[in-house]
Amino acid sequence: MSGERLSARTAPSATPESVGIAHLGLGAFHKAHQAVFTEDAMLAAGDRRWGICGVTQRSGRAAALLAPQDCRYTVLERGPDAAEPRVVSALREVVDGSADPAAVVELLAREDIRVITLTVTEKGYRHDPATGDLNLADPEVLADLTERPPRTVVGQLVRGLQRRAGTGAGPVTVVSCDNLPANGRTLRRLVQQFIDAAGLAELAAWVSEHVRFPATMVDRIVPATTADDLAEVQTRTGLRDEAAVVAEPFRQWVVEDDFAAARPPWELAGAVLVADVEPWEALKLRVLNASHSMLAYLGLACRHATIAEAVAEPLLAGACRGLIGSEVAPVLAAPSGVDVRDYGESVLARFANPALRHTTAQVAKDGSQKLGPRLLDTASEQLASGGDPSWVALGVAAWMRHVATTETLDDPLAGVLRDALGGTPADEASRLLGVERIFAPELARHPVFRDSVTTTYRQLAERGARAVLAERL
Ligand code: CS2
């Protein structure tokens, strides 16, 4: 692409005066979610001290694209009928954590950093979804327990906090913005487990006193940016922007009001601060993300390239409604005043937005990390109350078919999953259910669930997803 590039010169909005937030995981989601809330909060308060320093974790690409643009980028908001570009300038600095991991530790220990936010995806926590424990057999975690500059997220946090404790940089709040149940408590526990494994008893006491880990529910659909998106941004704005992102108009942020130090006034930008976020997180994970995963796996089986195409097929939307109405709603402790089925309908309407082009392949990624919070928790609660979670079983079986039929599976447990394949469909289902890092043994052994998953897996293999759905609905 040629043409003038977006930068501080071409974008009128002011750069934040200083940095107050360090963000780990500078991807599209952060750029279209927390950065936008932070920018709006700064604008509403007339206080531009909450600039963000973003850290890229796995490659320096995002940092390299943002640097020549003075960290500015466009968010192209795509509604079903109209698209609206806006330039965001909340980001003030970028650090390439892949090239310079020591710089991440230094950043987290800076006195001006009062809040550390994270969007590192489920697998970035390097924990076992079934137990919530840090994976101490992970070679990168083991390496971070030595004195090298840390490369895992939990290692970076612990070493950063250790440096903070040493330099007296003061209290800080760590805000997980990933799709994990009880994400604050989960991260707090992983940090503690790393501290224990590293034998840092004094640090444990310092963290208890000076650090908070509030839970959050974050929501905005932000598909991976494509070359077509960048071209459209240029057409609409007249400026070349290599770091643009595309998002739906909707955005929501529910944050537990538990901070160790100052924070941006995010409530001025529409975030909701509450005492207990867990009902909101459970609602979103078990309705929105669960339906997303169902549509991804069933959609791929039915050759739908995007979530919008998948949800437009009545059989697939019907599967989501079956899951939400018959299995999630009866057991979910939803936030007061929220009707789970109505919420489900609003989610399906968002998925139907044809302008987003969110691919089924993208949502299908990392299934081993997503099944637990999205589907299996509902299954366990249904079984405990004597139910038969057959829609969850369909989602799990559809994921298994995806594992069995995808040549290059994009999943941190791809090797383990591939080893479980072979033999009859019943053998495969049984071996996949035996992967204890995904399925807790009590669930995998439960006769109702086991039978339902195994039967559905065989039916999907023999008759295909459409025939199975047509029979159920
Ligand atoms: C999606 C989420 O990729 C996925 O697994 O389910 O990224 C989803 O788009 C967001 O959580 C929406 O807030």
Side-chain angles (χ1 to χ4, degrees):
M1 270 194 284
S2 59
E4 188 167 9
R5 188 103 177 242
L6 173 69
S7 69
R9 208 176 59 73
T10 54
S13 50
T15 306
E17 279 163 26
S18 58
V19 167
I21 301 172
H23 181 77
L24 304 182
L26 183 55
F29 186 75
H30 170 71
K31 284 157 70 182
H33 190 276
Q34 303 95 55
V36 171
F37 277 95
T38 303
E39 168 127 310
D40 283 354
M42 287 192 285
L43 289 172
D47 172 359
R48 297 200 54 83
R49 286 175 303 173
W50 285 104
I52 300 168
C53 176
V55 177
T56 63
Q57 297 285 24
R58 278 170 302 170
S59 90
R61 199 177 131 74
L65 295 177
L66 282 158
Q69 301 186 179
D70 306 308
C71 295
R72 281 173 173 58
Y73 59 88
T74 310
V75 176
L76 183 66
E77 223 173 78
R78 275 209 178 120
D81 318 302
E84 199 55 56
R86 92 173 251 194
V87 173
V88 175
S89 46
L91 199 63
R92 197 171 187 275
E93 298 169 18
V94 280
V95 167
D96 177 1
S98 64
D100 191 358
V104 182
V105 176
E106 271 161 42
L107 167 69
L108 301 185
R110 260 165 53 176
E111 211 170 326
D112 54 349
I113 300 299
R114 294 287 166 218
V115 175
I116 301 169
T117 50
L118 286 83
T119 51
V120 295
T121 79
E122 297 87 343
K123 67 176 173 232
Y125 291 78
R126 293 181 190 263
H127 71 314
D128 285 343
T131 60
D133 287 334
L134 185 62
N135 183 2
L136 288 167
D138 183 314
E140 294 293 318
V141 174
L142 284 173
D144 278 3
L145 284 165
T146 69
E147 289 301 308
R148 76 161 187 183
R151 291 191 170 271
T152 67
V153 172
V154 172
Q156 287 167 341
L157 279 174
V158 172
R159 298 300 178 195
L161 294 174
Q162 191 178 8
R163 174 84 57 97
R164 252 189 123 82
T167 58
V172 69
T173 307
V174 182
V175 189
S176 164
C177 301
D178 284 295
N179 289 320
L180 300 171
N183 51 12
R185 268 194 296 141
T186 301
L187 179 57
R188 169 82 182 88
R189 186 154 164 243
L190 297 173
V191 163
Q192 184 63 47
Q193 290 178 341
F194 189 103
I195 289 176
D196 292 345
L200 301 169
E202 268 178 41
L203 179 62
W206 188 87
V207 168
S208 299
E209 209 173 314
H210 296 91
V211 188
R212 292 281 178 281
F213 294 83
T216 59
M217 180 268 242
V218 292
D219 192 7
R220 187 169 207 185
I221 297 172
V222 186
T225 313
T226 65
D228 286 349
D229 295 329
L230 297 184
E232 185 179 341
V233 168
Q234 182 162 15
T235 308
R236 286 177 184 275
T237 64
L239 293 169
R240 196 157 66 86
D241 178 355
E242 302 288 348
V245 293
V246 168
E248 66 172 336
F250 180 93
R251 64 185 151 94
Q252 184 177 22
W253 198 5
V254 187
V255 185
E256 184 184 355
D257 197 357
D258 181 21
F259 284 74
R263 62 164 176 83
W266 284 317
E267 64 277 20
L268 300 181
V272 183
L273 281 107
V274 299
D276 183 9
V277 172
E278 288 182 18
W280 290 100
E281 283 189 293
L283 174 76
K284 193 223 160 192
L285 282 164
R286 296 187 194 188
V287 176
L288 185 151
N289 296 112
S291 317
H292 236 177
S293 290
M294 278 280 249
L295 289 169
Y297 300 124
L298 292 171
L300 285 167
C302 298
R303 310 222 174 283
H304 293 300
T306 67
I307 293 290
E309 281 168 25
V311 77
E313 177 163 354
L315 285 175
L316 274 65
C320 295
R321 292 196 172 94
L323 171 74
I324 297 165
S326 324
E327 295 177 10
V328 178
V331 291
L332 180 71
S336 73
V338 173
D339 180 285
V340 177
R341 291 176 184 85
D342 290 350
Y343 174 78
E345 288 305 320
S346 71
V347 162
L348 297 183
R350 285 165 57 199
F351 290 171
N353 178 350
L356 274 179
R357 299 206 55 78
H358 197 195
T359 64
T360 41
Q362 188 188 350
V363 180
K365 281 206 291 198
D366 298 341
S368 67
Q369 313 295 301
K370 294 175 175 174
L371 283 190
R374 296 177 182 210
L375 290 167
L376 305 183
D377 289 345
T378 296
S380 301
E381 288 177 25
Q382 272 289 343
L383 293 164
S385 63
D388 174 1
S390 62
W391 290 108
V392 169
L394 172 69
V396 172
W399 165 74
M400 289 178 169
R401 283 297 295 157
H402 176 70
V403 168
T405 56
T406 307
E407 237 168 74
T408 46
L409 190 67
D410 202 334
D411 193 296
L413 295 190
V416 176
L417 297 172
R418 217 170 295 115
D419 289 346
L421 300 176
T424 65
D427 293 336
E428 288 190 331
S430 170
R431 268 189 254 111
L432 288 168
L433 281 171
V435 179
E436 289 190 8
R437 291 170 67 183
I438 305 175
F439 299 98
E442 319 79 84
L443 176 64
R445 275 194 233 111
H446 195 293
V448 173
F449 186 65
R450 210 183 159 75
D451 187 53
S452 195
V453 170
T454 309
T455 308
T456 314
Y457 182 68
R458 185 171 37 77
Q459 291 172 341
L460 288 174
E462 285 169 1
R463 312 215 307 265
R466 279 205 180 89
V468 172
L469 285 167
E471 195 168 293
R472 282 193 182 212
L473 284 161

